[in-house]
Amino acid sequence: MPTLSRIYVYPVKSLSGFQVTQWPVDEKGLLYDRKWMLIDRDRQFLSQRRLPQMALVKTRIDADRLILSAPGRKDLILPLTASSSETIEVTVWHDQCGAETCGAEADAWLSEFLQTDCRLVYQAAGDRRQVDLNYATVADQTAFSDGFPFLLVSEGSLTALNQAMQLDYDMVRFRPNLVVSGCDSYAEDRWRRVSINGIGFRLPKPCSRCPVPTIDPETAISGKEPLATLSRLRKWQNKVYFGQNALHDKSGSLAVGQSVQIDEIGEPQPPLP
């Protein structure tokens, strides 16, 4: 049976994430996942697509603190809940969301390192961001992710892609939340429903990939791969795909080593070439 082999949490959208062995799941996904976000002067979200150097900012959660680290900088330490009384409206793709500011110190720290004027915000407690109803139910919500609370990828898929590229990329390039071992490459393309530790997951659509996986997370330097190989092997409807977006049916907890039960399969998405 397939097994949950890795779990990644990304507290700040598009900054580096961290790997855990177990983690709570709330109504929006992994606890604190994409709960924070950087915005520009127009209150539009920022990501590595625009600022590749965001990959160099490391994150971790220690007790009740969010800690950001960057080369040549003293760590920035923030509380896990925003303390600002200022609530503003921010934009994530086509969604307008309520957010709380995280203070001048955080804004200055990030603006100086990234060499761009930006602000750090936290999703407001009462904000409810609906997942696209073309793929979700009215109960499904997420924080500041691109669109879905989870991204699932199998170890076998990365192995197959690395073989095709003749490279050895790490899974962190693809920024998954859940990594599964013990299955064939691209087996997840056919999964429609799976269960892990009693939590049901729906996999409504594959994940179309932007240029972010071409950015080396250790140097922030971009290359041609993996998009060049994905364009050759995994192109469909003018997009390239790797991994599956996922929605969850309830809260709970996940831990590495738990079995992944395949509850429903369907035609592969994207279709086989």
Side-chain angles (χ1 to χ4, degrees):
M1 180 176 287
T3 301
L4 185 61
S5 58
R6 303 191 217 178
I7 302 170
Y8 291 97
V9 182
Y10 308 91
V12 185
K13 182 178 181 65
S14 222
L15 299 189
S16 175
F18 58 91
Q19 191 172 351
V20 297
T21 56
Q22 58 183 11
W23 203 255
V25 174
D26 66 11
E27 68 277 4
K28 296 178 181 178
L30 293 172
L31 185 63
Y32 301 121
D33 189 64
R34 272 82 53 101
K35 196 71 176 176
W36 290 261
M37 179 173 70
L38 294 179
I39 57 171
D40 64 14
R41 293 179 180 178
D42 297 322
R43 299 183 178 179
Q44 298 276 340
F45 81 97
L46 290 169
S47 79
Q48 291 180 37
R49 301 170 184 87
R50 182 168 160 188
L51 297 173
Q53 59 269 40
M54 289 176 70
L56 302 179
V57 183
K58 310 298 184 185
T59 64
R60 67 185 190 274
I61 289 177
D62 179 12
D64 59 352
R65 306 179 301 169
L66 169 67
I67 303 172
L68 306 188
S69 305
R73 304 286 298 172
K74 183 180 179 181
D75 287 355
L76 175 67
I77 300 175
L78 299 166
L80 288 181
T81 55
S83 56
S84 170
S85 59
E86 182 185 7
T87 300
I88 62 176
E89 188 175 82
V90 299
T91 303
V92 187
W93 296 112
H94 302 296
D95 295 334
Q96 306 301 311
C97 305
E100 298 177 31
T101 57
C102 293
E105 180 186 5
D107 297 344
W109 191 96
L110 287 155
S111 295
E112 183 175 338
F113 179 75
L114 298 172
Q115 298 185 334
T116 192
D117 188 10
C118 62
R119 302 176 76 184
L120 181 67
V121 298
Y122 178 89
Q123 188 181 34
D127 185 71
R128 188 183 187 283
R129 184 170 171 230
Q130 172 71 56
V131 179
D132 186 345
L133 288 173
N134 289 316
Y135 305 100
T137 71
V138 293
D140 293 314
Q141 56 180 307
T142 187
F144 289 141
S145 68
D146 275 351
F148 291 83
F150 292 92
L151 173 62
L152 181 150
V153 179
S154 73
E155 300 269 10
S157 298
L158 178 60
T159 298
L161 180 58
N162 274 332
Q163 290 174 346
M165 296 188 297
Q166 298 184 359
L167 294 169
D168 188 23
Y169 281 1
D170 191 271
M171 187 66 81
V172 295
R173 286 241 185 186
F174 300 91
R175 301 178 65 84
N177 296 110
L178 308 178
V179 181
V180 179
S181 64
C183 60
D184 293 338
S185 59
Y186 303 116
E188 65 271 29
D189 289 354
R190 297 192 63 191
W191 298 348
R192 294 294 174 270
R193 290 180 179 270
V194 303
S195 299
I196 310 173
N197 196 36
I199 302 174
F201 292 88
R202 290 158 282 136
L203 285 62
K205 71 179 293 290
C207 181
S208 58
R209 307 312 304 228
C210 68
V212 168
T214 68
I215 300 168
D216 186 328
E218 298 303 320
T219 65
I221 296 173
S222 300
K224 294 182 179 180
E225 294 291 7
L227 292 191
T229 297
L230 288 173
S231 294
R232 179 167 54 89
L233 301 177
R234 305 267 303 167
K235 193 168 186 177
W236 178 45
Q237 298 178 344
N238 295 317
K239 296 180 180 180
V240 297
Y241 295 88
F242 188 79
Q244 296 288 325
N245 292 300
L247 301 157
H248 60 307
D249 293 337
K250 66 177 184 178
S251 301
S253 64
L254 296 172
V256 168
Q258 290 171 340
S259 298
V260 179
Q261 179 177 318
I262 313 305
D263 299 321
E264 181 182 335
I265 61 172
E267 292 300 314
Q269 295 184 18
L272 294 173

